[in-house]
Amino acid sequence: TVEEGVHLDGPVVVEAGARVQSGAYVEGPALIRAGAEVGPNAYVRGSTVVGQNAHVGHSVEVKNSVLMADASIGHLSYVGDSVLGRGVNVGAGTNVANLRHDDENVRLQVKGESVDTGRRKLGAIVGGGAKTGINTSINAGVKLGAGETTNPGEVLTRDRLSE
């Protein structure tokens, strides 16, 4: 269902059973899978997949990201250049940085070593079932492991992974 007042621009696929609510703006390429819900007043920017039964809430902006099945981004949040695993719950007001302040390439920790990704923009990689508290900030290139959580208002500048 694509409600009245939705703007679809470019190659956008909304599968049967998905719902895009009024005021949403979706720029392609984008895929909104069956059972997903977007909006109202959400902004889905190019190269984004909203997985089955995933939710992009009110006034959320999501860009160049993959939301696996059952992932949810609460209202008033920004998620860019990120991967959210199955069943992730991004609390309201969460912001994911996707660009380093010094304009250098984003680095990831891999087996204890800092590795240059070769990417100027890279947000967060969030494992299945992870949850962020409201108003969480996640730095560029940070990993939040499966089942991990953040506290309300927390600023996550380093990976949080279960051992």
Side-chain angles (χ1 to χ4, degrees):
T1 302
V2 177
E3 293 181 355
E4 189 173 325
V6 169
H7 184 84
L8 304 178
D9 183 28
V12 175
V13 174
V14 179
E15 290 184 348
R19 180 176 176 210
V20 182
Q21 295 181 13
S22 182
Y25 191 105
V26 182
E27 287 179 357
L31 171 61
I32 301 171
R33 302 290 315 271
E37 191 165 323
V38 174
N41 302 316
Y43 184 22
V44 176
R45 293 170 58 190
S47 301
T48 293
V49 175
V50 180
Q52 286 187 302
N53 302 312
H55 180 250
V56 175
H58 173 68
S59 297
V60 166
E61 181 177 351
V62 61
K63 169 200 166 274
N64 193 34
S65 295
V66 176
L67 283 65
M68 303 288 187
D70 303 309
S72 178
I73 304 174
H75 54 283
L76 303 169
S77 296
Y78 174 77
V79 174
D81 302 283
S82 298
V83 177
L84 305 182
R86 179 181 290 272
V88 165
N89 184 23
V90 174
T94 293
N95 287 298
V96 176
N98 60 343
L99 179 68
R100 283 178 46 151
H101 187 67
D102 61 8
D103 231 9
E104 295 293 322
N105 286 344
V106 175
R107 301 184 73 81
L108 284 178
Q109 289 292 317
V110 178
K111 296 183 179 180
E113 288 188 39
S114 180
V115 176
D116 185 341
T117 65
R119 296 181 55 94
R120 191 171 156 271
K121 290 191 173 186
L122 178 64
I125 300 167
V126 183
K131 297 178 182 180
T132 68
I134 62 168
N135 297 320
T136 291
S137 294
I138 303 175
N139 207 22
V142 167
K143 297 183 295 265
L144 182 61
E148 294 288 339
T149 61
T150 67
N151 292 315
E154 187 170 351
V155 177
L156 199 59
T157 59
R158 298 190 190 289
D159 293 350
R160 179 169 299 157
L161 305 169
S162 297
E163 295 301 321

